[in-house]
Amino acid sequence: EVQLVESGGGLVQPGGSLRLSCAASGFTLSLYVMSWVRQAPGKGLEWVSGIYSGGGSTVYADSVKGRFTISRDNAKNTLYLQINSLKPEDTAVYYCSKTRGTWSDGYDYWGQGTQVTVSS
């Protein structure tokens, strides 16, 4: 059974940092394109970052480029999102998501989400 379990969210002051984790089970993380997607209060889903299968090239939304870093630990089968220089507008529920293979295949599994709140 495929499962994605996020953790690491919390309340942080502007300028602070967090590392989100997404523990995967039931499949091999490195064989699939994976993404982080967020949903701010009252807004729709926003794609944040993705990591390719295999070599693990990474891509980012312009709104987070230079502040967020996506990575994975193949031995732990875990996806990470390091988020630095947090801004109030980063407040959202963050989800990790698994594609069926590549970007064009679409997403088939999502985690339950982890709340990130940026406030002084």
Side-chain angles (χ1 to χ4, degrees):
E1 179 189 5
V2 171
Q3 284 193 320
L4 297 169
V5 180
E6 299 99 334
S7 61
L11 173 63
V12 63
Q13 292 186 341
S17 299
L18 285 172
R19 188 176 79 155
L20 309 183
S21 299
C22 173
S25 59
F27 71 103
T28 301
L29 194 70
S30 61
L31 298 181
Y32 296 84
V33 172
M34 299 290 296
S35 287
W36 285 97
V37 179
R38 67 184 180 184
Q39 186 168 29
K43 296 189 177 180
L45 292 173
E46 177 191 13
W47 175 85
V48 171
S49 180
I51 185 166
Y52 284 82
S53 57
S57 297
T58 59
V59 287
Y60 300 92
D62 288 343
S63 59
V64 305
K65 201 172 293 183
R67 299 189 297 121
F68 288 20
T69 304
I70 188 172
S71 63
R72 67 174 187 242
D73 184 326
N74 293 341
K76 295 182 178 179
N77 214 37
T78 298
L79 184 71
Y80 299 101
L81 186 69
Q82 177 69 41
I83 47 181
N84 298 327
S85 303
L86 278 158
K87 305 175 181 180
E89 52 263 42
D90 294 320
T91 295
V93 178
Y94 285 71
Y95 301 91
C96 66
S97 56
K98 170 189 171 294
T99 65
R100 293 182 176 86
T102 65
W103 297 111
S104 61
D105 294 329
Y107 297 104
D108 55 358
Y109 289 94
W110 298 73
Q112 85 288 350
T114 186
Q115 175 72 48
V116 172
T117 302
V118 185
S119 175
S120 55

